[in-house]
Amino acid sequence: MKYYSTNGSAPEATLEEAVRKGLAPDRGLYMPERIDRPSDEFFRNLGKMSFQEISTTVACSFFGDDIPADDLKKIVCDTLCFDTPLVKVEENIFSLELFHGPTLAFKDVGGRFMARMLSYFISKGRKNGNVTVLVATSGDTGSAVANGFLGVEGIDVIVLYPKGKVSEIQEKQFTTLGQNITALEIDGTFDDCQRLVKTAFLDKGLNAEFTLTSANSINVARFLPQAFYYFNAVAGLKRAGIDEAPVFCVPSGNFGNITAGLFAARAGLPVKRFIAANNRNDVFLEYLKTGTYTPRASVQTIANAMDVGDPSNFARILDLYGHSAEAIRKDISGCRYTDEAIRHTIADVYGRTGYILDPHGACGYQGLKDGLEKGECGIFLETAHPAKFKETVESVLGKEIGIPQRLRDFMTKEKQAISLGKDFSELKDYMMSRI
Ligand SMILES: *Cc1c(COP(=O)(O)O)cnc(C)c1O
């Protein structure tokens, strides 16, 4: 399968090139040249298949040209060491719980899959030494990437994070791992961390010594595997005796998660339509209303993983729909919620049903509640465990919520980080000292 760039002026890439590069040389995003549909038998049997079986079949449809079925099956099964259960919250509204992985957020799926696919390509073409993944994080990406790559052969991960600007829980999730993961605590901001990473990719001296790669969410190996759980969600509905196609509501920031759903739909997923739920960062909703896309600086909200003012995967959505706002509107609608509305939803749903939402899932729930039409059935993506946003959720509910054991395990471990200033020379000296 060939991958083309949304900007149209980079050469087509193989899957391996697209995964190794992340971004195309013309700064566009890679798109698969076609989307294959699994067999009719797959769709007939969906309700009887396990998550791993469903995902292996979908993975073969997406990546089967480039990776033999047995290898793909291994990558999928290693990735999915946890389930994504569908939980009924109330009549016609279901939560697709994506927080049962190691860092309790949906990014575990893409992070783990990308790590294993990259490791597969490295082991095939091993030239000299390891690949080094450099990642800057404001909190959540670092933990999903670090845990996804933990112990994966042939890869070293260096996480750069701004000192004192991530929560204690987040920090523990990438500074306590050891093995092939190193955390660098930078005396600066997230933007400094990102600048350091970008400078490193361009630095001749470092590139002579290291094979550097990024692991951000625009990588095809990170966003496409997210299609797996959309199929698992529909399988869950079938198991619950519901055969109609659902409406999916996706709490969205960079729009990678919803784009994976659009790819699933192109691959034959039974789905009625999509709703993109936003917090106050609502450039997509604005685009749906006006047909004009105007990126802006993000504003801070209590659903902070959705605080994005220029969603990177918007380019993929435009490409999928031939740049037609009208075509996009037929499949996707939008909604936005203020912090106050998010708090209200968390309290209301808990009061009526006992179900505890996190601030991101709350946008997803409310998007369905407001958008579902009579007789429709809907699924929202619960993208993180509420305990990851403990203070916010507890302040709304007025009571303590349980912290899952695997999150508590991180808290008991010792932080190990190397402190550096924000000058590139310090990062470079440190990296050279690793040789
Ligand atoms: C990253 C993230 C999102 C946004 O997902 P996108 O794929 O960027 O749209 C939503 N919720 C949580 C908890 C996240 O970590």
Side-chain angles (χ1 to χ4, degrees), residues 104-107 140-141 217 222 226 250-259 303-306 308 311-313 358 360-361 381-385 388-389:
L104 299 96
F106 81 91
K107 291 187 177 75
D140 269 353
T141 302
S217 63
R222 259 195 74 187
Q226 294 168 359
V250 188
S252 295
N254 265 321
F255 281 70
N257 216 359
I258 197 169
T259 303
N304 59 11
M306 290 155 52
V308 180
S312 50
N313 282 287
D358 96 291
H360 307 79
L381 276 53
E382 180 39 293
T383 46
H385 192 287
K388 287 197 93 169
F389 303 90

PDB file of all heavy atoms in Angstrom, residues 104-107 140-141 217 222 226 250-259 303-306 308 311-313 358 360-361 381-385 388-389, ligand 1:
ATOM      1  N   LEU A 104      -4.256   4.558  31.320  1.00  0.00           N
ATOM      2  CA  LEU A 104      -5.663   4.920  31.533  1.00  0.00           C
ATOM      3  C   LEU A 104      -6.202   5.974  30.571  1.00  0.00           C
ATOM      4  O   LEU A 104      -7.044   6.792  30.936  1.00  0.00           O
ATOM      5  CB  LEU A 104      -5.894   5.367  32.988  1.00  0.00           C
ATOM      6  CG  LEU A 104      -5.595   4.312  34.032  1.00  0.00           C
ATOM      7  CD1 LEU A 104      -4.193   4.486  34.571  1.00  0.00           C
ATOM      8  CD2 LEU A 104      -6.585   4.365  35.178  1.00  0.00           C
ATOM      9  N   ALA A 105      -5.696   5.974  29.331  1.00  0.00           N
ATOM     10  CA  ALA A 105      -6.266   6.860  28.321  1.00  0.00           C
ATOM     11  C   ALA A 105      -6.199   6.152  26.962  1.00  0.00           C
ATOM     12  O   ALA A 105      -5.413   5.224  26.770  1.00  0.00           O
ATOM     13  CB  ALA A 105      -5.512   8.186  28.264  1.00  0.00           C
ATOM     14  N   PHE A 106      -7.033   6.629  26.023  1.00  0.00           N
ATOM     15  CA  PHE A 106      -7.135   5.920  24.739  1.00  0.00           C
ATOM     16  C   PHE A 106      -5.826   5.930  23.961  1.00  0.00           C
ATOM     17  O   PHE A 106      -5.607   5.090  23.090  1.00  0.00           O
ATOM     18  CB  PHE A 106      -8.266   6.527  23.898  1.00  0.00           C
ATOM     19  CG  PHE A 106      -7.879   7.786  23.165  1.00  0.00           C
ATOM     20  CD1 PHE A 106      -7.370   7.732  21.877  1.00  0.00           C
ATOM     21  CD2 PHE A 106      -7.994   9.033  23.763  1.00  0.00           C
ATOM     22  CE1 PHE A 106      -7.003   8.889  21.193  1.00  0.00           C
ATOM     23  CE2 PHE A 106      -7.622  10.192  23.105  1.00  0.00           C
ATOM     24  CZ  PHE A 106      -7.121  10.112  21.812  1.00  0.00           C
ATOM     25  N   LYS A 107      -4.936   6.891  24.266  1.00  0.00           N
ATOM     26  CA  LYS A 107      -3.688   6.986  23.502  1.00  0.00           C
ATOM     27  C   LYS A 107      -2.809   5.753  23.691  1.00  0.00           C
ATOM     28  O   LYS A 107      -1.872   5.542  22.931  1.00  0.00           O
ATOM     29  CB  LYS A 107      -2.930   8.260  23.889  1.00  0.00           C
ATOM     30  CG  LYS A 107      -3.629   9.521  23.426  1.00  0.00           C
ATOM     31  CD  LYS A 107      -2.784  10.768  23.668  1.00  0.00           C
ATOM     32  CE  LYS A 107      -3.471  12.022  23.134  1.00  0.00           C
ATOM     33  NZ  LYS A 107      -4.597  12.464  24.003  1.00  0.00           N
ATOM     34  N   ASP A 140       0.162  14.179  28.881  1.00  0.00           N
ATOM     35  CA  ASP A 140      -0.417  12.883  28.555  1.00  0.00           C
ATOM     36  C   ASP A 140       0.287  12.121  27.444  1.00  0.00           C
ATOM     37  O   ASP A 140       0.370  10.893  27.475  1.00  0.00           O
ATOM     38  CB  ASP A 140      -1.895  13.042  28.187  1.00  0.00           C
ATOM     39  CG  ASP A 140      -2.773  12.889  29.411  1.00  0.00           C
ATOM     40  OD1 ASP A 140      -2.239  12.532  30.477  1.00  0.00           O
ATOM     41  OD2 ASP A 140      -3.984  13.127  29.293  1.00  0.00           O
ATOM     42  N   THR A 141       0.791  12.808  26.436  1.00  0.00           N
ATOM     43  CA  THR A 141       1.434  12.106  25.330  1.00  0.00           C
ATOM     44  C   THR A 141       2.681  11.380  25.818  1.00  0.00           C
ATOM     45  O   THR A 141       2.933  10.236  25.433  1.00  0.00           O
ATOM     46  CB  THR A 141       1.805  13.106  24.211  1.00  0.00           C
ATOM     47  OG1 THR A 141       0.607  13.737  23.803  1.00  0.00           O
ATOM     48  CG2 THR A 141       2.419  12.403  23.026  1.00  0.00           C
ATOM     49  N   SER A 217       1.081  12.293  17.232  1.00  0.00           N
ATOM     50  CA  SER A 217      -0.168  11.633  16.844  1.00  0.00           C
ATOM     51  C   SER A 217      -0.479  11.707  15.360  1.00  0.00           C
ATOM     52  O   SER A 217      -1.447  11.127  14.907  1.00  0.00           O
ATOM     53  CB  SER A 217      -1.324  12.241  17.629  1.00  0.00           C
ATOM     54  OG  SER A 217      -1.437  13.606  17.293  1.00  0.00           O
ATOM     55  N   ARG A 222       0.014   5.554  14.622  1.00  0.00           N
ATOM     56  CA  ARG A 222      -0.651   5.923  15.879  1.00  0.00           C
ATOM     57  C   ARG A 222      -2.133   6.151  15.689  1.00  0.00           C
ATOM     58  O   ARG A 222      -2.931   5.800  16.553  1.00  0.00           O
ATOM     59  CB  ARG A 222      -0.010   7.169  16.506  1.00  0.00           C
ATOM     60  CG  ARG A 222       0.924   6.805  17.649  1.00  0.00           C
ATOM     61  CD  ARG A 222       1.297   7.987  18.508  1.00  0.00           C
ATOM     62  NE  ARG A 222       0.203   8.415  19.368  1.00  0.00           N
ATOM     63  CZ  ARG A 222       0.229   9.502  20.118  1.00  0.00           C
ATOM     64  NH1 ARG A 222       1.302  10.265  20.117  1.00  0.00           N
ATOM     65  NH2 ARG A 222      -0.791   9.829  20.861  1.00  0.00           N
ATOM     66  N   GLN A 226      -6.616   3.125  15.916  1.00  0.00           N
ATOM     67  CA  GLN A 226      -7.767   3.532  16.723  1.00  0.00           C
ATOM     68  C   GLN A 226      -9.080   3.121  16.061  1.00  0.00           C
ATOM     69  O   GLN A 226     -10.126   3.120  16.698  1.00  0.00           O
ATOM     70  CB  GLN A 226      -7.707   5.036  16.988  1.00  0.00           C
ATOM     71  CG  GLN A 226      -6.508   5.389  17.866  1.00  0.00           C
ATOM     72  CD  GLN A 226      -6.223   6.875  17.928  1.00  0.00           C
ATOM     73  OE1 GLN A 226      -6.895   7.693  17.317  1.00  0.00           O
ATOM     74  NE2 GLN A 226      -5.203   7.229  18.688  1.00  0.00           N
ATOM     75  N   VAL A 250     -17.420  11.800  19.533  1.00  0.00           N
ATOM     76  CA  VAL A 250     -16.007  11.695  19.863  1.00  0.00           C
ATOM     77  C   VAL A 250     -15.485  13.006  20.444  1.00  0.00           C
ATOM     78  O   VAL A 250     -15.458  14.031  19.753  1.00  0.00           O
ATOM     79  CB  VAL A 250     -15.182  11.341  18.600  1.00  0.00           C
ATOM     80  CG1 VAL A 250     -13.738  11.034  18.973  1.00  0.00           C
ATOM     81  CG2 VAL A 250     -15.803  10.173  17.844  1.00  0.00           C
ATOM     82  N   PRO A 251     -15.064  13.002  21.735  1.00  0.00           N
ATOM     83  CA  PRO A 251     -14.434  14.204  22.304  1.00  0.00           C
ATOM     84  C   PRO A 251     -13.134  14.477  21.553  1.00  0.00           C
ATOM     85  O   PRO A 251     -12.256  13.621  21.520  1.00  0.00           O
ATOM     86  CB  PRO A 251     -14.125  13.800  23.757  1.00  0.00           C
ATOM     87  CG  PRO A 251     -14.773  12.475  23.984  1.00  0.00           C
ATOM     88  CD  PRO A 251     -15.048  11.861  22.658  1.00  0.00           C
ATOM     89  N   SER A 252     -13.009  15.661  20.942  1.00  0.00           N
ATOM     90  CA  SER A 252     -11.937  15.849  19.964  1.00  0.00           C
ATOM     91  C   SER A 252     -11.014  17.016  20.279  1.00  0.00           C
ATOM     92  O   SER A 252     -11.449  18.078  20.722  1.00  0.00           O
ATOM     93  CB  SER A 252     -12.551  16.041  18.573  1.00  0.00           C
ATOM     94  OG  SER A 252     -13.207  14.852  18.176  1.00  0.00           O
ATOM     95  N   GLY A 253      -9.716  16.783  20.032  1.00  0.00           N
ATOM     96  CA  GLY A 253      -8.699  17.816  20.200  1.00  0.00           C
ATOM     97  C   GLY A 253      -7.944  17.979  18.893  1.00  0.00           C
ATOM     98  O   GLY A 253      -8.198  18.895  18.111  1.00  0.00           O
ATOM     99  N   ASN A 254      -7.019  17.046  18.634  1.00  0.00           N
ATOM    100  CA  ASN A 254      -6.323  17.045  17.345  1.00  0.00           C
ATOM    101  C   ASN A 254      -7.080  16.267  16.272  1.00  0.00           C
ATOM    102  O   ASN A 254      -6.599  16.104  15.150  1.00  0.00           O
ATOM    103  CB  ASN A 254      -4.912  16.475  17.505  1.00  0.00           C
ATOM    104  CG  ASN A 254      -3.894  17.585  17.708  1.00  0.00           C
ATOM    105  OD1 ASN A 254      -3.994  18.642  17.082  1.00  0.00           O
ATOM    106  ND2 ASN A 254      -2.919  17.362  18.581  1.00  0.00           N
ATOM    107  N   PHE A 255      -8.217  15.703  16.604  1.00  0.00           N
ATOM    108  CA  PHE A 255      -9.113  15.007  15.669  1.00  0.00           C
ATOM    109  C   PHE A 255      -8.538  13.709  15.098  1.00  0.00           C
ATOM    110  O   PHE A 255      -8.993  13.223  14.071  1.00  0.00           O
ATOM    111  CB  PHE A 255      -9.573  15.952  14.542  1.00  0.00           C
ATOM    112  CG  PHE A 255     -10.684  16.882  14.979  1.00  0.00           C
ATOM    113  CD1 PHE A 255     -10.418  17.899  15.882  1.00  0.00           C
ATOM    114  CD2 PHE A 255     -11.985  16.716  14.514  1.00  0.00           C
ATOM    115  CE1 PHE A 255     -11.448  18.737  16.325  1.00  0.00           C
ATOM    116  CE2 PHE A 255     -13.012  17.556  14.948  1.00  0.00           C
ATOM    117  CZ  PHE A 255     -12.744  18.573  15.849  1.00  0.00           C
ATOM    118  N   GLY A 256      -7.532  13.125  15.777  1.00  0.00           N
ATOM    119  CA  GLY A 256      -7.014  11.832  15.330  1.00  0.00           C
ATOM    120  C   GLY A 256      -8.009  10.717  15.602  1.00  0.00           C
ATOM    121  O   GLY A 256      -8.234   9.835  14.767  1.00  0.00           O
ATOM    122  N   ASN A 257      -8.625  10.759  16.778  1.00  0.00           N
ATOM    123  CA  ASN A 257      -9.550   9.708  17.174  1.00  0.00           C
ATOM    124  C   ASN A 257     -10.763   9.654  16.238  1.00  0.00           C
ATOM    125  O   ASN A 257     -11.149   8.589  15.754  1.00  0.00           O
ATOM    126  CB  ASN A 257      -9.990   9.975  18.618  1.00  0.00           C
ATOM    127  CG  ASN A 257     -10.179   8.696  19.411  1.00  0.00           C
ATOM    128  OD1 ASN A 257     -10.004   7.594  18.907  1.00  0.00           O
ATOM    129  ND2 ASN A 257     -10.554   8.859  20.665  1.00  0.00           N
ATOM    130  N   ILE A 258     -11.354  10.803  15.952  1.00  0.00           N
ATOM    131  CA  ILE A 258     -12.540  10.802  15.085  1.00  0.00           C
ATOM    132  C   ILE A 258     -12.143  10.447  13.644  1.00  0.00           C
ATOM    133  O   ILE A 258     -12.889   9.762  12.939  1.00  0.00           O
ATOM    134  CB  ILE A 258     -13.309  12.153  15.159  1.00  0.00           C
ATOM    135  CG1 ILE A 258     -14.731  11.962  14.599  1.00  0.00           C
ATOM    136  CG2 ILE A 258     -12.592  13.266  14.437  1.00  0.00           C
ATOM    137  CD1 ILE A 258     -15.652  13.150  14.872  1.00  0.00           C
ATOM    138  N   THR A 259     -10.942  10.856  13.230  1.00  0.00           N
ATOM    139  CA  THR A 259     -10.504  10.513  11.873  1.00  0.00           C
ATOM    140  C   THR A 259     -10.362   8.997  11.724  1.00  0.00           C
ATOM    141  O   THR A 259     -10.719   8.427  10.689  1.00  0.00           O
ATOM    142  CB  THR A 259      -9.171  11.224  11.535  1.00  0.00           C
ATOM    143  OG1 THR A 259      -9.354  12.625  11.703  1.00  0.00           O
ATOM    144  CG2 THR A 259      -8.739  10.957  10.112  1.00  0.00           C
ATOM    145  N   ALA A 303     -11.033  20.199  30.282  1.00  0.00           N
ATOM    146  CA  ALA A 303     -10.810  19.027  29.414  1.00  0.00           C
ATOM    147  C   ALA A 303      -9.554  19.323  28.606  1.00  0.00           C
ATOM    148  O   ALA A 303      -9.585  19.515  27.394  1.00  0.00           O
ATOM    149  CB  ALA A 303     -12.016  18.792  28.512  1.00  0.00           C
ATOM    150  N   ASN A 304      -8.387  19.359  29.302  1.00  0.00           N
ATOM    151  CA  ASN A 304      -7.203  19.998  28.708  1.00  0.00           C
ATOM    152  C   ASN A 304      -6.568  19.236  27.556  1.00  0.00           C
ATOM    153  O   ASN A 304      -5.824  19.803  26.768  1.00  0.00           O
ATOM    154  CB  ASN A 304      -6.169  20.336  29.798  1.00  0.00           C
ATOM    155  CG  ASN A 304      -5.725  19.094  30.553  1.00  0.00           C
ATOM    156  OD1 ASN A 304      -6.016  17.968  30.142  1.00  0.00           O
ATOM    157  ND2 ASN A 304      -5.009  19.277  31.642  1.00  0.00           N
ATOM    158  N   ALA A 305      -6.862  17.940  27.427  1.00  0.00           N
ATOM    159  CA  ALA A 305      -6.297  17.202  26.286  1.00  0.00           C
ATOM    160  C   ALA A 305      -6.996  17.579  24.978  1.00  0.00           C
ATOM    161  O   ALA A 305      -6.593  17.158  23.904  1.00  0.00           O
ATOM    162  CB  ALA A 305      -6.396  15.699  26.525  1.00  0.00           C
ATOM    163  N   MET A 306      -8.057  18.376  25.101  1.00  0.00           N
ATOM    164  CA  MET A 306      -8.754  18.858  23.902  1.00  0.00           C
ATOM    165  C   MET A 306      -8.499  20.344  23.657  1.00  0.00           C
ATOM    166  O   MET A 306      -9.173  20.967  22.837  1.00  0.00           O
ATOM    167  CB  MET A 306     -10.258  18.610  24.036  1.00  0.00           C
ATOM    168  CG  MET A 306     -10.621  17.139  23.952  1.00  0.00           C
ATOM    169  SD  MET A 306     -12.166  16.699  24.784  1.00  0.00           S
ATOM    170  CE  MET A 306     -13.314  17.869  24.077  1.00  0.00           C
ATOM    171  N   VAL A 308      -6.907  22.449  21.817  1.00  0.00           N
ATOM    172  CA  VAL A 308      -6.155  22.531  20.567  1.00  0.00           C
ATOM    173  C   VAL A 308      -6.828  23.574  19.680  1.00  0.00           C
ATOM    174  O   VAL A 308      -8.042  23.505  19.461  1.00  0.00           O
ATOM    175  CB  VAL A 308      -6.145  21.159  19.849  1.00  0.00           C
ATOM    176  CG1 VAL A 308      -5.365  21.244  18.543  1.00  0.00           C
ATOM    177  CG2 VAL A 308      -5.556  20.076  20.745  1.00  0.00           C
ATOM    178  N   PRO A 311      -6.294  21.853  14.925  1.00  0.00           N
ATOM    179  CA  PRO A 311      -6.210  20.385  14.985  1.00  0.00           C
ATOM    180  C   PRO A 311      -5.426  19.787  13.813  1.00  0.00           C
ATOM    181  O   PRO A 311      -5.753  20.050  12.651  1.00  0.00           O
ATOM    182  CB  PRO A 311      -7.671  19.928  14.914  1.00  0.00           C
ATOM    183  CG  PRO A 311      -8.512  21.132  15.101  1.00  0.00           C
ATOM    184  CD  PRO A 311      -7.674  22.342  14.875  1.00  0.00           C
ATOM    185  N   SER A 312      -4.381  19.009  14.130  1.00  0.00           N
ATOM    186  CA  SER A 312      -3.494  18.544  13.063  1.00  0.00           C
ATOM    187  C   SER A 312      -4.192  17.616  12.074  1.00  0.00           C
ATOM    188  O   SER A 312      -3.870  17.625  10.895  1.00  0.00           O
ATOM    189  CB  SER A 312      -2.254  17.887  13.660  1.00  0.00           C
ATOM    190  OG  SER A 312      -2.615  16.944  14.627  1.00  0.00           O
ATOM    191  N   ASN A 313      -5.147  16.821  12.532  1.00  0.00           N
ATOM    192  CA  ASN A 313      -5.767  15.872  11.601  1.00  0.00           C
ATOM    193  C   ASN A 313      -6.893  16.470  10.758  1.00  0.00           C
ATOM    194  O   ASN A 313      -7.505  15.755   9.966  1.00  0.00           O
ATOM    195  CB  ASN A 313      -6.290  14.644  12.362  1.00  0.00           C
ATOM    196  CG  ASN A 313      -5.152  13.703  12.716  1.00  0.00           C
ATOM    197  OD1 ASN A 313      -4.621  13.021  11.850  1.00  0.00           O
ATOM    198  ND2 ASN A 313      -4.745  13.697  13.975  1.00  0.00           N
ATOM    199  N   ASP A 358     -15.218  11.439  32.967  1.00  0.00           N
ATOM    200  CA  ASP A 358     -14.098  12.380  33.072  1.00  0.00           C
ATOM    201  C   ASP A 358     -14.501  13.615  32.247  1.00  0.00           C
ATOM    202  O   ASP A 358     -15.481  13.567  31.509  1.00  0.00           O
ATOM    203  CB  ASP A 358     -12.801  11.717  32.564  1.00  0.00           C
ATOM    204  CG  ASP A 358     -12.534  12.064  31.115  1.00  0.00           C
ATOM    205  OD1 ASP A 358     -13.296  11.589  30.252  1.00  0.00           O
ATOM    206  OD2 ASP A 358     -11.608  12.838  30.850  1.00  0.00           O
ATOM    207  N   HIS A 360     -13.453  14.926  29.549  1.00  0.00           N
ATOM    208  CA  HIS A 360     -13.488  14.740  28.090  1.00  0.00           C
ATOM    209  C   HIS A 360     -14.691  13.891  27.689  1.00  0.00           C
ATOM    210  O   HIS A 360     -15.448  14.247  26.785  1.00  0.00           O
ATOM    211  CB  HIS A 360     -12.187  14.095  27.612  1.00  0.00           C
ATOM    212  CG  HIS A 360     -10.969  14.831  28.079  1.00  0.00           C
ATOM    213  ND1 HIS A 360     -10.468  14.690  29.352  1.00  0.00           N
ATOM    214  CD2 HIS A 360     -10.166  15.725  27.461  1.00  0.00           C
ATOM    215  CE1 HIS A 360      -9.411  15.477  29.499  1.00  0.00           C
ATOM    216  NE2 HIS A 360      -9.205  16.117  28.367  1.00  0.00           N
ATOM    217  N   GLY A 361     -14.850  12.769  28.400  1.00  0.00           N
ATOM    218  CA  GLY A 361     -16.014  11.909  28.152  1.00  0.00           C
ATOM    219  C   GLY A 361     -17.322  12.659  28.388  1.00  0.00           C
ATOM    220  O   GLY A 361     -18.332  12.386  27.729  1.00  0.00           O
ATOM    221  N   LEU A 381     -17.192   8.094  23.129  1.00  0.00           N
ATOM    222  CA  LEU A 381     -15.891   7.541  23.487  1.00  0.00           C
ATOM    223  C   LEU A 381     -15.460   8.135  24.829  1.00  0.00           C
ATOM    224  O   LEU A 381     -15.322   9.359  24.949  1.00  0.00           O
ATOM    225  CB  LEU A 381     -14.852   7.831  22.391  1.00  0.00           C
ATOM    226  CG  LEU A 381     -14.846   6.826  21.214  1.00  0.00           C
ATOM    227  CD1 LEU A 381     -16.227   6.649  20.600  1.00  0.00           C
ATOM    228  CD2 LEU A 381     -13.833   7.202  20.160  1.00  0.00           C
ATOM    229  N   GLU A 382     -15.288   7.279  25.841  1.00  0.00           N
ATOM    230  CA  GLU A 382     -14.813   7.746  27.146  1.00  0.00           C
ATOM    231  C   GLU A 382     -13.292   7.604  27.076  1.00  0.00           C
ATOM    232  O   GLU A 382     -12.738   6.509  27.155  1.00  0.00           O
ATOM    233  CB  GLU A 382     -15.468   6.916  28.259  1.00  0.00           C
ATOM    234  CG  GLU A 382     -15.082   7.277  29.683  1.00  0.00           C
ATOM    235  CD  GLU A 382     -14.937   8.766  29.972  1.00  0.00           C
ATOM    236  OE1 GLU A 382     -14.003   9.371  29.431  1.00  0.00           O
ATOM    237  OE2 GLU A 382     -15.715   9.312  30.790  1.00  0.00           O
ATOM    238  N   THR A 383     -12.602   8.751  26.849  1.00  0.00           N
ATOM    239  CA  THR A 383     -11.209   8.713  26.422  1.00  0.00           C
ATOM    240  C   THR A 383     -10.200   8.604  27.562  1.00  0.00           C
ATOM    241  O   THR A 383      -9.036   8.310  27.322  1.00  0.00           O
ATOM    242  CB  THR A 383     -10.885   9.974  25.585  1.00  0.00           C
ATOM    243  OG1 THR A 383     -11.412  11.112  26.264  1.00  0.00           O
ATOM    244  CG2 THR A 383     -11.507   9.879  24.203  1.00  0.00           C
ATOM    245  N   ALA A 384     -10.625   8.876  28.805  1.00  0.00           N
ATOM    246  CA  ALA A 384      -9.692   8.750  29.936  1.00  0.00           C
ATOM    247  C   ALA A 384     -10.447   8.337  31.194  1.00  0.00           C
ATOM    248  O   ALA A 384     -11.645   8.594  31.320  1.00  0.00           O
ATOM    249  CB  ALA A 384      -8.967  10.077  30.187  1.00  0.00           C
ATOM    250  N   HIS A 385      -9.735   7.727  32.112  1.00  0.00           N
ATOM    251  CA  HIS A 385     -10.337   7.351  33.395  1.00  0.00           C
ATOM    252  C   HIS A 385     -10.534   8.618  34.233  1.00  0.00           C
ATOM    253  O   HIS A 385      -9.648   9.478  34.270  1.00  0.00           O
ATOM    254  CB  HIS A 385      -9.401   6.387  34.123  1.00  0.00           C
ATOM    255  CG  HIS A 385     -10.046   5.716  35.295  1.00  0.00           C
ATOM    256  ND1 HIS A 385     -10.322   6.382  36.469  1.00  0.00           N
ATOM    257  CD2 HIS A 385     -10.500   4.457  35.464  1.00  0.00           C
ATOM    258  CE1 HIS A 385     -10.903   5.553  37.319  1.00  0.00           C
ATOM    259  NE2 HIS A 385     -11.021   4.375  36.733  1.00  0.00           N
ATOM    260  N   LYS A 388      -7.786  10.224  36.393  1.00  0.00           N
ATOM    261  CA  LYS A 388      -6.692  11.035  35.843  1.00  0.00           C
ATOM    262  C   LYS A 388      -6.979  12.523  36.031  1.00  0.00           C
ATOM    263  O   LYS A 388      -6.085  13.348  35.911  1.00  0.00           O
ATOM    264  CB  LYS A 388      -6.491  10.745  34.348  1.00  0.00           C
ATOM    265  CG  LYS A 388      -5.862   9.403  34.076  1.00  0.00           C
ATOM    266  CD  LYS A 388      -5.305   9.319  32.667  1.00  0.00           C
ATOM    267  CE  LYS A 388      -3.839   9.706  32.615  1.00  0.00           C
ATOM    268  NZ  LYS A 388      -3.213   9.381  31.324  1.00  0.00           N
ATOM    269  N   PHE A 389      -8.235  12.853  36.278  1.00  0.00           N
ATOM    270  CA  PHE A 389      -8.630  14.249  36.490  1.00  0.00           C
ATOM    271  C   PHE A 389      -9.330  14.357  37.844  1.00  0.00           C
ATOM    272  O   PHE A 389     -10.395  14.948  37.988  1.00  0.00           O
ATOM    273  CB  PHE A 389      -9.524  14.718  35.323  1.00  0.00           C
ATOM    274  CG  PHE A 389      -8.835  14.553  34.009  1.00  0.00           C
ATOM    275  CD1 PHE A 389      -8.965  13.377  33.287  1.00  0.00           C
ATOM    276  CD2 PHE A 389      -7.967  15.517  33.530  1.00  0.00           C
ATOM    277  CE1 PHE A 389      -8.275  13.181  32.101  1.00  0.00           C
ATOM    278  CE2 PHE A 389      -7.268  15.339  32.353  1.00  0.00           C
ATOM    279  CZ  PHE A 389      -7.419  14.160  31.634  1.00  0.00           C
TER     280      PHE A 389
HETATM  281  C1  LIG B   1      -5.746  13.233  23.343  1.00  0.00           C
HETATM  282  C2  LIG B   1      -7.063  13.218  24.055  1.00  0.00           C
HETATM  283  C3  LIG B   1      -8.279  13.631  23.431  1.00  0.00           C
HETATM  284  C4  LIG B   1      -8.306  14.207  22.043  1.00  0.00           C
HETATM  285  O1  LIG B   1      -8.097  13.214  21.059  1.00  0.00           O
HETATM  286  P1  LIG B   1      -7.723  13.641  19.552  1.00  0.00           P
HETATM  287  O2  LIG B   1      -7.425  12.366  18.854  1.00  0.00           O
HETATM  288  O3  LIG B   1      -6.529  14.535  19.661  1.00  0.00           O
HETATM  289  O4  LIG B   1      -8.912  14.344  18.995  1.00  0.00           O
HETATM  290  C5  LIG B   1      -9.469  13.498  24.124  1.00  0.00           C
HETATM  291  N1  LIG B   1      -9.485  13.026  25.399  1.00  0.00           N
HETATM  292  C6  LIG B   1      -8.351  12.643  26.041  1.00  0.00           C
HETATM  293  C7  LIG B   1      -8.450  12.162  27.438  1.00  0.00           C
HETATM  294  C8  LIG B   1      -7.106  12.709  25.398  1.00  0.00           C
HETATM  295  O5  LIG B   1      -5.994  12.341  26.056  1.00  0.00           O
END
